[in-house]
Amino acid sequence: MCKQKWNEVSKVIRKFRTLTELIFDAQDFIKNPYKGKKLKKHPDFPKKPLTPYFRFFIEKRAKYAKLHPEMSNLDLTKILSMKYRGLPDKKKKKYLEDFQKDKETFGHSMSKFREDHPDLVESMAKKGSNVPEKPRTPQQLWYSHEKKAFLKTHADATTKDIKDSLGKQWTQLSDKKRLKWIAKSLEMHKAYEEVMKGFIETHPELNMSNEDIVKSTLTKAERHLKDKSDGRPDKPPPNGYSMFCAELMSSMKDVPSTERMVMCSQQWKLLKQNEKDGYQKRCEQRKKEYEVEMNRFLCSISEEEQQRVLGEQKMIGFKKGSGGSKKKSRAKPSPEKPKRPISAMFIFSEEKRPKLQQERPDLSDSELTRLLARMWNELSDKKKEKYKRLETVLKAESVKKGQEERSRLPDTPKTAQDIWQQSVIGDYLARFKNDRPKAQKAMEATWNTMEKKEKIMWIKKAAEDQKRYERELSEMRSPATIIASGKKMKFDGEPKKPPSNGYQKFSQEMLSNGELNHLPMKERMGEIGGRWQRQPQKEKDRYKKIAEEKQKLYKVELERWLASLSSQERNVYKEYNSQKRKTPVKPGGTAAKVKAKVTKKSDTEDEDDDDEELEKEAASSDNDSSSAEDSEEEDDDNEEDNDDDDDDEADDKENKSEGSSSSDSSSVETSDSDSD
């Protein structure tokens, strides 16, 4: 019997407890099995009276089910609800009277139940109805006000009809009327906060904190509307291009949203440099005005509101009365990481920047950078040679430093005793008044007297340090680990691989001249493919010859570069290329293209594959068109990215299917063998 009762009880009580807690829970359940939500299952708990509609539904359901046997329960319910709505008041009166009688009896029986079971009722009302009511949102306040007027004109309307019609009206409500309800909601929220704080202090048994207080009753849009009415300025566009787009889009209401940005970028490209500079100056002026207006607005509101506004805008460091917002400090580069050599353009700009700052103090740093980029582009090749020589010298120095750092052995692994001594040496030096020999002897003595259990943690740390040493040593000796991890290796001075066939040369030419920059990427590549097909055979042969000549030049340059390398560097390069071919490839990658050799694709299919490979080149050509306005550091990053793209394209070309002509495929094979 005990076992049966325990199995019955254990299904109800919580399982994840200690054994003592389980027993207490079981005892509590036996004393009061109808505690909490299960109170309604108590045999003495009175049943709630049925509503007038349910009485009508139960009475008529059987009749309508016989009349319409093909109907589902849902359809029957819909029909009966419609019938009840259309029922005259005289017939409805009967159901209402029965409901009132049952309601009175329910009230009497409920009061009797409270008298018989006071413990159950107390546990049910523990949290109490004394908790202050939560403040309503502006929409809820407006809804309750308008609902009465709506029911006067639409007496038969359901709750769904009321919600739908009033919901539409709320969206069309003017800002002035909406601000009225926003102000009322904020007043209610302030009063609620004061009452709630007092309630929490007087009722500590409820375990409520300030986090339980409703923080805000307004949505983001309502909060923005309230701030705007209080004098908060609109945020200015970040740059001149954004300002141009905002002005142009105001007259583009009929144009689809997907086409707006395309049209804006096309119009921006047509502008002259003077006009672009004008937009940038206007933008800088607007930013200064915004800072002044924002400071004025922050002074007019309370400190709590100031914190909220600054938090929303993410204006970290923006202070009341300051000249502007402080920029976030960049993370400092680690001293171990070798610095990238400075480019020729950067050397030129660093030389000319101080003079320009004295001549043009009104220009900002970004405007100075753009001006220096333009000056560099207009500079003759003879004058550029001076800076390029300096760049090569700096590159050679950085290569030497890199080689020296690579040749260094990793730090030797520490023993468990060394690691422990390093963690406690401060305490021992303080104890022996900075007498290091005495502290060392004392540490050795304590280590020898320590038990094995105490040493286990330090032994584990020593083992981890040993693994770290072995890993770094293996990485230094063989570059295969870098290849296996999927990282790309860059070799200084390695010549770029040229296009492997005539089509690739043609598409590179089309992408570099910027003629198709107005088209999206997919359409651009399709247009290039169509133009190639329409080219006469003479033109195709001309492009093929150019590609073959470039392949020959590439072979000569590659041989010369390989000869300039040391034997160790040459071995690393060869190992990298061999490992690169052995690495597993994703489905649809280069391996999938190798399989195409068996099936022998048509010329058009080869061209489509070339399109896919040259998508990256198109992206880089787009970047080149706008790179004159970017900083020097960004230029260097773009060059490195383009080098990576070229490496990827070269890898794809190695595994290319037998292309549109035999000469193309033979040139690829010869270039691969030479690179090996």
Side-chain angles (χ1 to χ4, degrees), residues 39-51:
L39 183 65
K40 290 178 183 179
K41 291 183 180 179
H42 197 281
D44 298 340
F45 192 84
K47 285 186 179 180
K48 280 188 177 182
L50 292 169
T51 59

Side-chain angles (χ1 to χ4, degrees), residues 456-643:
I456 281 170
M457 184 176 77
W458 307 105
I459 291 163
K460 283 181 179 176
K461 285 186 178 180
E464 285 173 10
D465 198 40
Q466 179 68 31
K467 283 178 184 174
R468 186 264 316 158
Y469 172 75
E470 288 170 2
R471 185 176 64 251
E472 287 179 6
L473 198 67
S474 63
E475 281 177 6
M476 191 187 75
R477 283 176 180 167
S478 64
T481 51
I482 298 164
I483 298 154
S485 65
K487 292 179 182 176
K488 287 182 182 177
M489 283 183 73
K490 287 188 179 180
F491 299 94
D492 292 328
E494 183 187 3
K496 286 186 182 180
K497 291 191 180 179
S500 61
N501 52 43
Y503 172 67
Q504 282 192 5
K505 175 63 189 162
F506 171 76
S507 34
Q508 276 183 6
E509 198 176 285
M510 290 297 296
L511 292 167
S512 60
N513 63 18
E515 189 183 336
L516 304 172
N517 282 359
H518 63 283
L519 293 173
M521 185 58 67
K522 285 184 181 177
E523 291 179 22
R524 205 182 297 180
M525 299 314 296
E527 179 65 25
I528 289 167
R531 288 191 184 188
W532 174 254
Q533 286 177 1
R534 290 194 294 273
Q535 288 286 325
Q537 193 59 42
K538 283 183 181 179
E539 280 295 307
K540 286 183 180 179
D541 292 339
R542 186 174 69 81
Y543 280 109
K544 196 189 290 181
K545 281 177 185 177
I546 293 165
E548 284 171 6
E549 284 169 11
K550 289 204 170 188
Q551 283 283 348
K552 286 173 186 176
L553 283 169
Y554 168 71
K555 286 176 206 172
V556 174
E557 286 175 11
L558 190 68
E559 283 171 8
R560 198 182 299 148
W561 178 71
L562 286 167
S564 67
L565 296 175
S566 63
S567 58
Q568 189 182 354
E569 287 173 335
R570 203 178 295 117
N571 290 333
V572 168
Y573 178 74
K574 286 179 180 179
E575 191 177 350
Y576 172 70
N577 279 330
S578 60
Q579 285 287 334
K580 204 164 149 190
R581 289 184 179 81
K582 287 175 188 176
T583 48
V585 188
K586 290 180 184 177
T590 51
K593 290 178 186 178
V594 171
K595 286 180 185 177
K597 287 185 180 181
V598 182
T599 55
K600 290 190 178 179
K601 287 182 182 178
S602 63
D603 291 345
T604 54
E605 287 173 345
D606 288 337
E607 287 163 13
D608 292 337
D609 288 342
D610 293 337
D611 288 345
E612 289 171 10
E613 289 177 4
L614 285 156
E615 280 181 5
K616 289 180 183 176
E617 291 177 14
S620 66
S621 72
D622 287 342
N623 290 335
D624 292 340
S625 65
S626 61
S627 64
E629 296 180 0
D630 295 335
S631 66
E632 293 87 341
E633 289 179 10
E634 288 173 356
D635 288 338
D636 293 342
D637 293 338
N638 287 335
E639 284 170 16
E640 284 184 13
D641 294 339
N642 291 337
D643 291 345

